[in-house]
Structures are given as structure tokens and as C-alpha cells.
Amino acid sequence: MTIQTVDPRALRDAFGAFPTGVTVVTACDGEGNPIGFTANSFTSVSLNPPLLLVCLAKTSRNFAIMTGAQHFAINVLSETQKDVSNTFARPVEDRFAAVEWARGSAGCPIFSSVAAWFECAMEQVIEAGDHVILMGCVEAFDNSGRNGLGYARGGYFTPTLSSKAVSAASEGNMELAAVVERRGEVLLLGDDVLSLPSVDAHDGNPTEALQKYLETSTGLKVSIGFLYSVYEGKSDGKQHIVYHAVAGEGEPAGGRFLKPDALVAAKFKTSSTADIVNRFAMESSIGNFGVYFGDETGGTVHPIPTKDAKA
């Protein structure tokens, strides 16, 4: 493939296959007001001298301030800070009201509860196509020991959750399920008592195992989409991982497609299944989906970012 034939969208998707951490880059404008943006294009460069870099899009509204700043900071977000990432990835006016922070020795905003932070003197601004590279010389830093937040293929992941899932799968304690959608309807199993299609996970890639199960059991072509719900089942002791999926045309060999907003009086196998179907009905109506993390009794829904976590 030559440079002239590269599809920018396809190239960005391919770049997104590489898992990265998530950071918020901060600095101050000429009047001392804090600015910041989410970025995953960050890397260490050198230990001696202590250098790091982050990429900044030339279209960023922070471009002029950042490229003219004498100092900037990198806040490496911890796995509990997805909301912080989303806040600083969007054009929210008072972003800093949503996070606890303090000024570093050079005046840059440093966030609380991050995995690590680095306050840097601007070493060099390097032209790089439709971005610039901000090279920083580390003047101060701290490492909290917390796990960092991960990002790959347009979605977040957490090291702790991933390790728990691998452990659960190897012990036969993880169940994979899917909200299989087709034109607004959801595939449900059962007649009097409804349930989502699900299968116990074992060693291997969970999405591949789930897709194989769904296609074998339904006879339909199924495409696995984004992660939709992750919760610990207190009643069965299993880790439950639920994905969104889209089904192709045809009559399913098992189950039937039903409109989720017409199931208010339906009986479900578990309360968790009812919660998932009801949430999907609500989110489908507004076109804004999230990922649930928690257990059967309570948790939080984290919005799925509408754009890549980049400046």
C-alpha cells in the first residue's frame, strides 16, 4: 500500500490495535489558568537525560497554548479514572471542577489518584505531519503504584479486571454472554423465562469463543462489538462478561428476536439479565451506550467514548 492510497480511518483503526495507557496532559495559559486534554500518544524516550514525548494534533483547541508553554505535565490515569479520561476528551468548559488536583513546582496541574505523573520543561516542539511532538525534560515525578488505565481499539480496559478474567476463565468461573441485536431487537432464549445467550469461558480468546458459540447455536452470522457489562455474580460466584453483538439476516435456530422496550412485564432468568435488557432499551432510544462495572446489586456505568482518546 502506498502513501497515496492509505485510508485514514482504516489506518487509525489499525493503529488502535496497539494497547496504550491513557494520560491527561496539563499546562497553564498565559494568565495561569489550567488547561488539559486526554492523550494516549505518550511514551518515554530517555533516562539520561530524562525525556518523554506526547503527540498533539494541530487541530486541537489547545495547540497554541501547549506549543508555547514552558512547562507541561503528564498525568498517567489509574484504572479507576475512566470518567476523568472522558471529561478531558470532550469540550467541557470547566473540566478541572471534576477532578482533584494541585499545582506542581512549575505550576502545572497534577491530578490526585493517578498511577504516575511527570512535570516537564518543554525541550522541543517537533513537526510531525498533522501533529506535533512535544518533547519534555522531566523535572519532577511520582509513582503511586496504582495500575494504569488501558486503551485499545476504541475502548478502555483495566489490568486488574483483565487478570481476574483470565484467572476466572482458567478456573471455569467466567461466563460470556451477549446482547445480540438486529434492527433494534434483541435475541433472547426461553419462552416463559427469558435469558441472554451465554456460554462458560475456558482458555483462549473470549470474544472468539463467544462468537463461535453464538454462530453455532443460532446458525446466524454474528459480529462481536463493544464490551457492554462486567459484573461479579454473588449468587453463582462467576465473573460475567457481556458483549454487544450484531446478528445477520435469517431465522435463528435458537431463541427469538424481541423488542427490548416491550418486555416490561417479562420474566427473566436473573435480575442481572433484566437490568441489562432494560438498560439496553433505554440506551438504544438515545443512542448513547455505556459499560457497566460492578456486581449484581450495584455498580457504575461508564460512557463509551465517542471519539478516540487523543488530543
mmCIF file of all heavy atoms in Angstrom, residues 23 25 39-46 50-56 72 74 120 124 126 132-138:
data_model
loop_
_atom_site.group_PDB
_atom_site.id
_atom_site.type_symbol
_atom_site.label_atom_id
_atom_site.label_comp_id
_atom_site.label_asym_id
_atom_site.label_seq_id
_atom_site.Cartn_x
_atom_site.Cartn_y
_atom_site.Cartn_z
ATOM 1 N N THR A 23 -3.480 9.131 29.328
ATOM 2 C CA THR A 23 -2.951 10.240 30.114
ATOM 3 C C THR A 23 -3.820 11.480 29.922
ATOM 4 O O THR A 23 -4.586 11.571 28.961
ATOM 5 C CB THR A 23 -1.508 10.608 29.686
ATOM 6 O OG1 THR A 23 -1.537 11.270 28.419
ATOM 7 C CG2 THR A 23 -0.631 9.373 29.591
ATOM 8 N N VAL A 25 -2.777 15.424 29.621
ATOM 9 C CA VAL A 25 -1.673 16.379 29.529
ATOM 10 C C VAL A 25 -2.184 17.726 30.015
ATOM 11 O O VAL A 25 -3.243 18.196 29.579
ATOM 12 C CB VAL A 25 -1.170 16.491 28.078
ATOM 13 C CG1 VAL A 25 0.035 17.421 27.998
ATOM 14 C CG2 VAL A 25 -0.820 15.115 27.528
ATOM 15 N N ALA A 39 -4.848 12.147 26.172
ATOM 16 C CA ALA A 39 -3.968 11.684 25.090
ATOM 17 C C ALA A 39 -3.466 10.280 25.403
ATOM 18 O O ALA A 39 -3.157 9.965 26.555
ATOM 19 C CB ALA A 39 -2.785 12.633 24.920
ATOM 20 N N ASN A 40 -3.406 9.438 24.387
ATOM 21 C CA ASN A 40 -2.778 8.135 24.576
ATOM 22 C C ASN A 40 -1.497 7.993 23.752
ATOM 23 O O ASN A 40 -0.850 6.956 23.786
ATOM 24 C CB ASN A 40 -3.754 6.993 24.264
ATOM 25 C CG ASN A 40 -4.257 7.002 22.836
ATOM 26 O OD1 ASN A 40 -3.996 7.931 22.077
ATOM 27 N ND2 ASN A 40 -4.990 5.966 22.466
ATOM 28 N N SER A 41 -1.131 9.037 23.021
ATOM 29 C CA SER A 41 0.097 9.025 22.223
ATOM 30 C C SER A 41 1.255 9.553 23.064
ATOM 31 O O SER A 41 1.856 10.579 22.766
ATOM 32 C CB SER A 41 -0.083 9.873 20.962
ATOM 33 O OG SER A 41 -0.541 11.168 21.309
ATOM 34 N N PHE A 42 1.575 8.820 24.141
ATOM 35 C CA PHE A 42 2.618 9.207 25.092
ATOM 36 C C PHE A 42 3.629 8.074 25.209
ATOM 37 O O PHE A 42 3.270 6.899 25.159
ATOM 38 C CB PHE A 42 1.976 9.482 26.461
ATOM 39 C CG PHE A 42 2.936 9.357 27.619
ATOM 40 C CD1 PHE A 42 3.851 10.353 27.898
ATOM 41 C CD2 PHE A 42 2.930 8.214 28.425
ATOM 42 C CE1 PHE A 42 4.736 10.226 28.962
ATOM 43 C CE2 PHE A 42 3.805 8.083 29.484
ATOM 44 C CZ PHE A 42 4.722 9.092 29.763
ATOM 45 N N THR A 43 4.906 8.432 25.349
ATOM 46 C CA THR A 43 5.919 7.398 25.562
ATOM 47 C C THR A 43 7.144 7.989 26.243
ATOM 48 O O THR A 43 7.416 9.194 26.139
ATOM 49 C CB THR A 43 6.333 6.745 24.227
ATOM 50 O OG1 THR A 43 7.183 5.629 24.495
ATOM 51 C CG2 THR A 43 7.074 7.726 23.336
ATOM 52 N N SER A 44 7.859 7.128 26.949
ATOM 53 C CA SER A 44 9.159 7.538 27.482
ATOM 54 C C SER A 44 10.164 7.548 26.339
ATOM 55 O O SER A 44 10.011 6.823 25.349
ATOM 56 C CB SER A 44 9.609 6.569 28.576
ATOM 57 O OG SER A 44 9.706 5.254 28.058
ATOM 58 N N VAL A 45 11.198 8.373 26.458
ATOM 59 C CA VAL A 45 12.192 8.497 25.395
ATOM 60 C C VAL A 45 13.592 8.146 25.892
ATOM 61 O O VAL A 45 14.307 7.363 25.278
ATOM 62 C CB VAL A 45 12.184 9.934 24.815
ATOM 63 C CG1 VAL A 45 13.314 10.115 23.799
ATOM 64 C CG2 VAL A 45 10.840 10.252 24.178
ATOM 65 N N SER A 46 13.984 8.725 27.057
ATOM 66 C CA SER A 46 15.353 8.568 27.520
ATOM 67 C C SER A 46 15.414 8.697 29.046
ATOM 68 O O SER A 46 14.625 9.445 29.644
ATOM 69 C CB SER A 46 16.231 9.639 26.868
ATOM 70 O OG SER A 46 17.503 9.702 27.469
ATOM 71 N N PRO A 50 16.471 12.680 31.210
ATOM 72 C CA PRO A 50 15.119 12.129 31.388
ATOM 73 C C PRO A 50 14.114 12.800 30.453
ATOM 74 O O PRO A 50 13.615 13.894 30.722
ATOM 75 C CB PRO A 50 14.816 12.440 32.856
ATOM 76 C CG PRO A 50 15.600 13.673 33.153
ATOM 77 C CD PRO A 50 16.867 13.559 32.331
ATOM 78 N N LEU A 51 13.821 12.139 29.336
ATOM 79 C CA LEU A 51 12.961 12.729 28.320
ATOM 80 C C LEU A 51 11.720 11.864 28.093
ATOM 81 O O LEU A 51 11.770 10.630 28.189
ATOM 82 C CB LEU A 51 13.715 12.877 26.999
ATOM 83 C CG LEU A 51 14.955 13.781 26.995
ATOM 84 C CD1 LEU A 51 15.648 13.706 25.630
ATOM 85 C CD2 LEU A 51 14.591 15.212 27.339
ATOM 86 N N LEU A 52 10.629 12.520 27.746
ATOM 87 C CA LEU A 52 9.402 11.845 27.330
ATOM 88 C C LEU A 52 8.784 12.665 26.201
ATOM 89 O O LEU A 52 9.193 13.785 25.930
ATOM 90 C CB LEU A 52 8.431 11.671 28.503
ATOM 91 C CG LEU A 52 7.990 12.919 29.297
ATOM 92 C CD1 LEU A 52 6.964 13.761 28.545
ATOM 93 C CD2 LEU A 52 7.394 12.495 30.633
ATOM 94 N N LEU A 53 7.762 12.081 25.556
ATOM 95 C CA LEU A 53 7.083 12.823 24.497
ATOM 96 C C LEU A 53 5.602 12.503 24.488
ATOM 97 O O LEU A 53 5.161 11.466 24.970
ATOM 98 C CB LEU A 53 7.698 12.529 23.122
ATOM 99 C CG LEU A 53 7.590 11.118 22.525
ATOM 100 C CD1 LEU A 53 6.218 10.855 21.899
ATOM 101 C CD2 LEU A 53 8.670 10.927 21.465
ATOM 102 N N VAL A 54 4.844 13.417 23.936
ATOM 103 C CA VAL A 54 3.418 13.223 23.695
ATOM 104 C C VAL A 54 3.079 13.934 22.396
ATOM 105 O O VAL A 54 3.696 14.954 22.054
ATOM 106 C CB VAL A 54 2.570 13.761 24.868
ATOM 107 C CG1 VAL A 54 2.692 15.280 24.984
ATOM 108 C CG2 VAL A 54 1.115 13.346 24.745
ATOM 109 N N CYS A 55 2.139 13.379 21.640
ATOM 110 C CA CYS A 55 1.754 13.982 20.366
ATOM 111 C C CYS A 55 0.504 14.836 20.530
ATOM 112 O O CYS A 55 -0.409 14.484 21.287
ATOM 113 C CB CYS A 55 1.499 12.908 19.322
ATOM 114 S SG CYS A 55 2.975 11.952 18.896
ATOM 115 N N LEU A 56 0.456 15.934 19.817
ATOM 116 C CA LEU A 56 -0.652 16.879 19.879
ATOM 117 C C LEU A 56 -1.127 17.196 18.470
ATOM 118 O O LEU A 56 -0.328 17.578 17.607
ATOM 119 C CB LEU A 56 -0.202 18.170 20.583
ATOM 120 C CG LEU A 56 -1.180 19.340 20.598
ATOM 121 C CD1 LEU A 56 -2.392 19.021 21.475
ATOM 122 C CD2 LEU A 56 -0.489 20.608 21.100
ATOM 123 N N PHE A 72 4.901 21.520 30.974
ATOM 124 C CA PHE A 72 3.653 20.768 30.895
ATOM 125 C C PHE A 72 3.786 19.523 31.769
ATOM 126 O O PHE A 72 4.896 19.134 32.169
ATOM 127 C CB PHE A 72 3.301 20.389 29.448
ATOM 128 C CG PHE A 72 4.251 19.423 28.792
ATOM 129 C CD1 PHE A 72 4.030 18.043 28.848
ATOM 130 C CD2 PHE A 72 5.357 19.877 28.079
ATOM 131 C CE1 PHE A 72 4.881 17.147 28.227
ATOM 132 C CE2 PHE A 72 6.219 18.994 27.451
ATOM 133 C CZ PHE A 72 5.988 17.628 27.527
ATOM 134 N N ILE A 74 2.324 15.379 32.522
ATOM 135 C CA ILE A 74 1.648 14.172 32.068
ATOM 136 C C ILE A 74 1.063 13.471 33.289
ATOM 137 O O ILE A 74 1.793 13.095 34.205
ATOM 138 C CB ILE A 74 2.608 13.205 31.352
ATOM 139 C CG1 ILE A 74 3.317 13.895 30.176
ATOM 140 C CG2 ILE A 74 1.872 11.943 30.909
ATOM 141 C CD1 ILE A 74 2.428 14.204 29.016
ATOM 142 N N CYS A 120 7.302 18.493 33.374
ATOM 143 C CA CYS A 120 8.417 18.618 32.436
ATOM 144 C C CYS A 120 8.635 20.053 31.974
ATOM 145 O O CYS A 120 7.687 20.836 31.856
ATOM 146 C CB CYS A 120 8.161 17.767 31.193
ATOM 147 S SG CYS A 120 7.730 16.059 31.525
ATOM 148 N N GLN A 124 11.479 20.539 23.296
ATOM 149 C CA GLN A 124 11.449 20.749 21.848
ATOM 150 C C GLN A 124 10.036 20.498 21.327
ATOM 151 O O GLN A 124 9.311 19.649 21.853
ATOM 152 C CB GLN A 124 12.429 19.779 21.169
ATOM 153 C CG GLN A 124 12.765 20.105 19.730
ATOM 154 C CD GLN A 124 13.840 19.171 19.184
ATOM 155 O OE1 GLN A 124 14.328 18.297 19.886
ATOM 156 N NE2 GLN A 124 14.200 19.361 17.928
ATOM 157 N N ILE A 126 8.393 19.384 17.806
ATOM 158 C CA ILE A 126 8.852 18.809 16.544
ATOM 159 C C ILE A 126 7.671 18.642 15.593
ATOM 160 O O ILE A 126 6.637 18.073 15.959
ATOM 161 C CB ILE A 126 9.507 17.432 16.798
ATOM 162 C CG1 ILE A 126 10.640 17.574 17.814
ATOM 163 C CG2 ILE A 126 10.015 16.822 15.493
ATOM 164 C CD1 ILE A 126 11.158 16.241 18.338
ATOM 165 N N VAL A 132 2.123 17.614 16.159
ATOM 166 C CA VAL A 132 3.463 17.981 16.603
ATOM 167 C C VAL A 132 3.820 17.069 17.767
ATOM 168 O O VAL A 132 2.936 16.527 18.449
ATOM 169 C CB VAL A 132 3.576 19.460 17.050
ATOM 170 C CG1 VAL A 132 3.394 20.388 15.880
ATOM 171 C CG2 VAL A 132 2.605 19.778 18.176
ATOM 172 N N ILE A 133 5.115 16.876 17.952
ATOM 173 C CA ILE A 133 5.609 16.088 19.081
ATOM 174 C C ILE A 133 6.130 17.042 20.136
ATOM 175 O O ILE A 133 7.005 17.866 19.861
ATOM 176 C CB ILE A 133 6.732 15.134 18.639
ATOM 177 C CG1 ILE A 133 6.200 14.150 17.590
ATOM 178 C CG2 ILE A 133 7.305 14.381 19.829
ATOM 179 C CD1 ILE A 133 7.291 13.318 16.925
ATOM 180 N N LEU A 134 5.561 16.963 21.335
ATOM 181 C CA LEU A 134 6.041 17.762 22.462
ATOM 182 C C LEU A 134 7.062 16.933 23.231
ATOM 183 O O LEU A 134 6.714 15.930 23.853
ATOM 184 C CB LEU A 134 4.884 18.156 23.382
ATOM 185 C CG LEU A 134 3.673 18.842 22.734
ATOM 186 C CD1 LEU A 134 2.621 19.157 23.796
ATOM 187 C CD2 LEU A 134 4.095 20.103 21.994
ATOM 188 N N MET A 135 8.322 17.320 23.161
ATOM 189 C CA MET A 135 9.378 16.621 23.879
ATOM 190 C C MET A 135 9.603 17.334 25.200
ATOM 191 O O MET A 135 9.836 18.550 25.237
ATOM 192 C CB MET A 135 10.673 16.624 23.067
ATOM 193 C CG MET A 135 11.801 15.832 23.689
ATOM 194 S SD MET A 135 11.706 14.076 23.314
ATOM 195 C CE MET A 135 12.184 14.098 21.577
ATOM 196 N N GLY A 136 9.513 16.600 26.298
ATOM 197 C CA GLY A 136 9.663 17.204 27.608
ATOM 198 C C GLY A 136 10.816 16.619 28.391
ATOM 199 O O GLY A 136 11.105 15.414 28.294
ATOM 200 N N CYS A 137 11.482 17.460 29.160
ATOM 201 C CA CYS A 137 12.541 17.022 30.059
ATOM 202 C C CYS A 137 11.953 16.947 31.469
ATOM 203 O O CYS A 137 11.485 17.960 32.005
ATOM 204 C CB CYS A 137 13.720 17.986 30.026
ATOM 205 S SG CYS A 137 15.113 17.463 31.067
ATOM 206 N N VAL A 138 11.955 15.759 32.068
ATOM 207 C CA VAL A 138 11.301 15.537 33.356
ATOM 208 C C VAL A 138 12.054 16.261 34.473
ATOM 209 O O VAL A 138 13.251 16.033 34.693
ATOM 210 C CB VAL A 138 11.218 14.028 33.669
ATOM 211 C CG1 VAL A 138 10.573 13.808 35.038
ATOM 212 C CG2 VAL A 138 10.445 13.301 32.581
#
